[in-house]
Amino acid sequence: MSEITSPSPELPSNSSSASSDHDPDPPIQLQLPPLSIHDDPLPPPTSHPGKRNADEDDASISWRKRKKHFFVLSHSGKPIYSRYGDEHKLAGFSATLQAIISFVENGGDRVKLVRAGNHQVVFLVKGPIYLVCISCTEEPYESLRGQLELIYGQVIVILTKSINKCFERNSKFDMTPLLGGTDTVFSSLIHSFNWNPATFLHAYTCLPLTYAARQAAGAILQDVVDSGVLFAILMCRHKVINLVGAQKATLHPDDLLLLVNFIMSTESFRTSESFSPVCLPRYNPLAFLYAYIHYFDDDTYLMLLTTRSDAFYHLKDCRIHIETVLLKSNVLSEVQRSLLDGGMRVEDLPPLPSRSGSSSHLGHPGPPTDSPYRSREPSSGTGGAAGLWHFIYRSIFLDQYVSSDFSSPVNTPKQQKRLYRAYQKLFSSMHDKGIGPNKTQFRRDENYAMLCWVTQDFELYTAFDPLADKALAIKTCNRVCQWVKDVENEIFLLGASPFSW
Amino acid sequence: MGCGSSTPGRDSRQFGRDNSENGGGQDAKNLRVKLVLLGDSGVGKSCIVLRFVRGQFDPTSKVTVGASFLSQTIALQDSTTVKFEIWDTAGQERYAALAPLYYRGAAVAVVVYDITSPESFSKAQYWVKELQKHGSPEIVLALVGNKADLHEKREVAVQDGIDYAEKNGMFFIETSAKTADNINELFEEIAKRLPRPSAS
């Protein structure tokens, strides 16, 4: 593992109005007078809201005050989805958005971004489906566009891309009935833009688990895949326990994200075993797969995906087999234990010369009940070494990331969201095609000192106390990387990953 | 309607146990039947099933996605048992094209409407026609008017249900998953009407 040898030149702070796509044509920037939307704080986040504030429309003051709107509409201007308010009442507003898009298209161009005061209006055109985000959250254009891509992906998960045929037959086709009952799926996805790093890292994360337990789960999933299943995925909440794909079948992390969001936000899957058509946009956007879904307990669930619509009873048998093996090998109880223990905590960051000793953070040969991440100093309330508050480590090779548990002082949802936004900005500036790709970046503002380090193998994003010493921060980053390497057996799914790279 | 699905499997017998596919009972005393619930979204299909299988009622509406699979065994007075393998399907329009997946091979179809919603009654008639066209010829059909506890909001007359069921050779009952009214009766009556493998 290499070390950061010298601090890199600091990047200009990211207040540029860069909005370029990697398309050759320059973005159109219309200067509009500021919208009369006020910058009020968000309502407190609700955990799994269905349609919020369905009674609002574009005439409501509350609607206009929302910080971040998402709209999906058809190319004829018919509303399909709106984050806030009743789609049907927003027909006029949708028509306006459509008019803007087609006005620019008629000029042989494409509109990507409109800035109006502190608002950004981001457009994404996907055939007959238009997606628009109106936001005053100061997120980078690339982030917002990525979020629109995910919303579109979620539509495809539910309906497949053959929905386009409906528009070919009838350009005024009303798509809303086909999305009936899916409000919670979209609101939960939009909510995850505020907390789930997978939405911009394009990577997935694993539940920390002993190597043996993860292997045991993988072996039984492999058996099932060998019997003709396309993907067998064992999850704990949003984290992967193990997943196996058929030969040559690759599962994109974004597909996993959207699939998991679809499952987790749909209450009926928890009630009993289910069998549902589902589309993986990156795998095959045109066809449904069939998903068998079963919850072993409140947190742990199994997804078996197949191309065969008549495979339910086979998949049910597979599940019974898997359940027996998981119970016998105690995997399910280890999963519960891991949930209680939590993941990596910055307070537990071991000192750097950690290679030799068999100190507690190393790939612990002890009883599996020991958490490998604790050196059991009670939390001092000031984060970890050198003012380290939090980190995210993404392995490029594995398409996986690990992030430290939130701890003091980043322990309220509001602070977590702010940190998350800062990461998003950092990620976006590191990957900015115009300036980057960058190797390292150190930036400091009134909230954090942030250090990012990108190599061929990994990306490390760290947040420190704003007063943290830069040289110490760099040292600490090396310790984090070493730590991740030391426990990689337990935090990553290693080996035969069906993900493409 | 809706969107395309991927190509259906070529040979349903390639793997998996094949005895569960059909509603045919194994012996005269212990029947196993595949039952499918169909109907508009929000009429209470899942509530009926959960009341029957688990004795529960959850007033918060939870949209079913795809289809849920549950089973419940009941004992009849003549000491036969019937194990219902129940497909509780989603009522949304996008799943309509996929319904054959669930009603194919079903011995019983329960078509549900909401007595406070004439639209759901029309939708029920659509399902009955679909089943008559594409379901198995011996399928036992039941027409169920649910939410009978909301009689002050009733918009579909009992007689309309009775008449339509009679015309189509169906068994008719009004139920309330909320109060459990007629839920067990529904399934017991279905069990009685099942064709027996050998005459008893």
Side-chain angles (χ1 to χ4, degrees):
Chain A
M1 176 161 297
S2 52
E3 300 223 327
I4 298 182
T5 45
S6 65
S8 68
E10 291 179 32
L11 284 179
S13 74
N14 190 33
S15 62
S16 68
S17 59
S19 53
S20 65
D21 210 10
H22 21 278
D23 294 336
D25 48 334
I28 292 174
Q29 293 219 23
L30 304 176
Q31 287 301 325
L32 293 187
L35 297 176
S36 58
I37 304 181
H38 304 288
D39 190 3
D40 273 21
L42 273 180
T46 42
S47 56
H48 267 286
K51 167 68 94 185
R52 275 192 278 174
N53 315 98
D55 51 332
E56 292 179 357
D57 60 34
D58 54 333
S60 327
I61 291 172
S62 55
W63 188 89
R64 300 173 75 90
K65 281 184 178 175
R66 304 279 170 201
K67 275 188 147 184
K68 196 168 173 187
H69 284 274
F70 286 101
F71 305 96
V72 184
L73 52 137
S74 77
H75 62 164
S76 70
K78 276 213 164 67
I80 293 169
Y81 171 80
S82 167
R83 181 184 189 188
Y84 301 108
D86 177 347
E87 288 85 6
H88 294 102
K89 288 194 210 159
L90 293 168
F93 190 81
S94 280
T96 310
L97 293 173
Q98 187 270 339
I100 295 173
I101 295 168
S102 61
F103 175 78
V104 178
E105 274 185 350
N106 290 342
D109 216 331
R110 274 189 297 161
V111 58
K112 291 176 183 164
L113 171 67
V114 175
R115 279 184 189 282
N118 58 355
H119 282 81
Q120 298 185 82
V121 187
V122 179
F123 296 87
L124 181 67
V125 172
K126 291 285 187 184
I129 296 174
Y130 295 171
L131 299 102
V132 181
C133 174
I134 303 179
S135 159
C136 59
T137 56
E138 293 179 348
E139 288 166 87
Y141 164 78
E142 287 74 18
S143 305
L144 296 174
R145 209 197 50 164
Q147 292 167 13
L148 290 178
E149 291 274 4
L150 286 172
I151 291 177
Y152 178 70
Q154 195 74 72
V155 171
I156 301 307
V157 165
I158 297 165
L159 293 175
T160 80
K161 213 173 165 182
S162 43
I163 188 70
N164 289 2
K165 285 186 203 141
C166 299
F167 289 101
E168 283 163 23
R169 282 195 291 268
N170 169 16
S171 67
K172 296 226 168 11
F173 176 70
D174 180 6
M175 209 175 115
T176 37
L178 288 182
L179 288 175
T182 58
D183 276 336
T184 52
V185 178
F186 289 99
S187 54
S188 131
L189 177 67
I190 290 168
H191 182 59
S192 75
F193 298 154
N194 290 335
W195 69 265
N196 189 347
T199 58
F200 65 87
L201 289 175
H202 308 291
Y204 66 102
T205 194
C206 288
L207 183 80
L209 210 57
T210 62
Y211 185 71
R214 202 184 308 283
Q215 288 295 103
I220 180 62
L221 295 182
Q222 184 67 57
D223 276 1
V224 161
V225 163
D226 292 342
S227 79
V229 171
L230 188 63
F231 294 111
I233 307 167
L234 185 62
M235 300 284 302
C236 178
R237 300 185 188 162
H238 291 85
K239 297 185 175 182
V240 171
I241 295 169
N242 207 323
L243 55 85
V244 177
Q247 260 191 337
K248 291 184 188 161
T250 58
L251 182 56
H252 191 281
D254 286 355
D255 278 356
L256 183 63
L257 170 79
L258 295 170
L259 179 64
V260 164
N261 180 61
F262 180 66
I263 307 290
M264 294 274 292
S265 61
T266 305
E267 207 49 44
S268 77
F269 290 133
R270 294 170 182 273
T271 316
S272 62
E273 56 193 329
S274 303
F275 193 57
S276 173
V278 63
C279 171
L280 298 182
R282 303 274 194 149
Y283 179 74
N284 182 358
L286 290 168
F288 275 124
L289 297 173
Y290 297 88
Y292 172 91
I293 297 135
H294 178 82
Y295 274 78
F296 293 122
D297 53 49
D298 284 348
D299 310 297
T300 313
Y301 55 101
L302 176 72
M303 300 184 273
L304 301 175
L305 274 68
T306 170
T307 54
R308 301 164 47 91
S309 62
D310 57 1
F312 173 79
Y313 292 100
H314 173 61
L315 300 180
K316 183 177 165 68
D317 287 345
C318 289
R319 184 268 297 171
I320 292 166
H321 182 44
I322 291 170
E323 189 163 18
T324 312
V325 171
L326 292 181
L327 284 171
K328 217 179 272 172
S329 53
N330 285 326
V331 173
L332 292 178
S333 49
E334 282 204 45
V335 165
Q336 284 304 314
R337 167 128 224 125
S338 168
L339 273 180
L340 287 175
D341 287 349
M344 304 176 87
R345 293 150 42 105
V346 290
E347 295 86 350
D348 304 333
L349 177 66
L352 193 53
S354 61
R355 271 312 196 184
S356 49
S358 61
S359 48
S360 57
H361 61 276
L362 272 177
H364 78 110
T369 49
D370 277 1
S371 166
Y373 317 114
R374 301 285 159 78
S375 28
R376 276 288 67 116
E377 278 291 307
S379 159
S380 57
T382 54
L388 176 65
W389 283 355
H390 190 263
F391 68 85
I392 299 178
Y393 177 103
R394 172 184 182 229
S395 161
I396 291 165
F397 178 67
L398 295 172
D399 270 341
Q400 295 172 45
Y401 75 91
V402 62
S403 69
S404 62
D405 289 355
F406 285 116
S407 53
S408 173
V410 193
N411 43 15
T412 69
K414 202 179 160 192
Q415 285 163 327
Q416 288 161 12
K417 183 165 153 184
R418 186 167 64 192
L419 174 58
Y420 178 86
R421 289 257 163 94
Y423 277 137
Q424 221 177 351
K425 207 175 242 182
L426 193 59
F427 178 89
S428 159
S429 72
M430 290 300 283
H431 293 264
D432 189 322
K433 302 281 192 300
I435 319 169
N438 299 299
K439 299 281 183 232
T440 54
Q441 183 179 164
F442 184 82
R443 64 163 74 197
R444 198 193 291 276
D445 63 20
E446 70 276 18
N447 298 314
Y448 317 100
M450 299 193 89
L451 181 56
C452 176
W453 180 21
V454 174
T455 74
Q456 277 189 323
D457 303 322
F458 66 85
E459 298 180 355
L460 178 68
Y461 300 89
T462 53
F464 288 83
D465 185 306
L467 299 175
D469 177 77
K470 188 163 156 187
L472 270 178
I474 291 169
K475 262 194 195 141
T476 307
C477 283
N478 283 310
R479 285 169 60 184
V480 169
C481 289
Q482 187 58 54
W483 188 25
V484 166
K485 205 169 173 50
D486 287 345
V487 295
E488 66 179 0
N489 273 340
E490 282 135 31
I491 55 176
F492 291 134
L493 171 56
L494 302 174
S497 159
F499 282 81
S500 53
W501 52 71
Chain B
M1 182 165 327
C3 338
S5 65
S6 66
T7 51
R10 295 144 307 239
D11 176 11
S12 63
R13 295 286 172 268
Q14 198 176 324
F15 53 66
R17 51 176 198 194
D18 56 5
N19 57 351
S20 331
E21 256 310 306
N22 211 306
Q26 286 65 49
D27 60 71
K29 285 288 173 194
N30 299 292
L31 300 177
R32 185 157 83 186
V33 294
K34 177 174 168 182
L35 179 150
V36 62
L37 278 104
L38 295 163
D40 206 357
S41 68
V43 298
K45 298 181 290 300
S46 301
C47 291
I48 290 174
V49 176
L50 289 176
R51 174 59 86 182
F52 172 57
V53 173
R54 305 206 180 133
Q56 299 166 344
F57 178 77
D58 182 351
T60 63
S61 72
K62 288 172 183 160
V63 179
T64 303
V65 168
S68 301
F69 182 85
L70 298 99
S71 60
Q72 173 72 303
T73 305
I74 60 171
L76 297 180
Q77 283 180 340
D78 62 359
S79 80
T80 55
T81 67
V82 178
K83 180 179 185 189
F84 288 107
E85 297 193 330
I86 302 169
W87 278 108
D88 173 23
T89 66
Q92 277 84 34
E93 192 180 326
R94 67 177 170 282
Y95 296 112
L98 299 160
L101 201 72
Y102 306 111
Y103 69 64
R104 191 187 303 136
V108 185
V110 176
V111 178
V112 185
Y113 67 91
D114 168 358
I115 65 155
T116 71
S117 158
E119 298 79 35
S120 74
F121 188 54
S122 326
K123 196 71 196 238
Q125 299 175 18
Y126 159 85
W127 282 118
V128 172
K129 288 192 193 100
E130 165 113 5
L131 288 162
Q132 287 166 343
K133 244 189 273 173
H134 302 296
S136 93
E138 303 88 49
I139 195 165
V140 173
L141 290 175
L143 181 66
V144 175
N146 192 35
K147 308 197 188 178
D149 53 293
L150 300 176
H151 37 77
E152 73 283 3
K153 289 191 193 157
R154 173 189 290 279
E155 293 205 28
V156 182
V158 187
Q159 197 57 45
D160 291 354
I162 294 172
D163 290 349
Y164 186 78
E166 200 165 298
K167 237 192 294 172
N168 291 278
M170 304 171 78
F171 157 62
F172 175 75
I173 194 167
E174 284 196 351
T175 60
S176 166
K178 188 174 176 182
T179 64
D181 215 25
N182 273 348
I183 298 290
N184 288 337
E185 288 77 356
L186 163 66
F187 288 92
E188 280 161 19
E189 189 57 39
I190 289 168
K192 285 185 205 153
R193 288 167 183 252
L194 287 170
R196 300 298 157 109
S198 53
S200 47

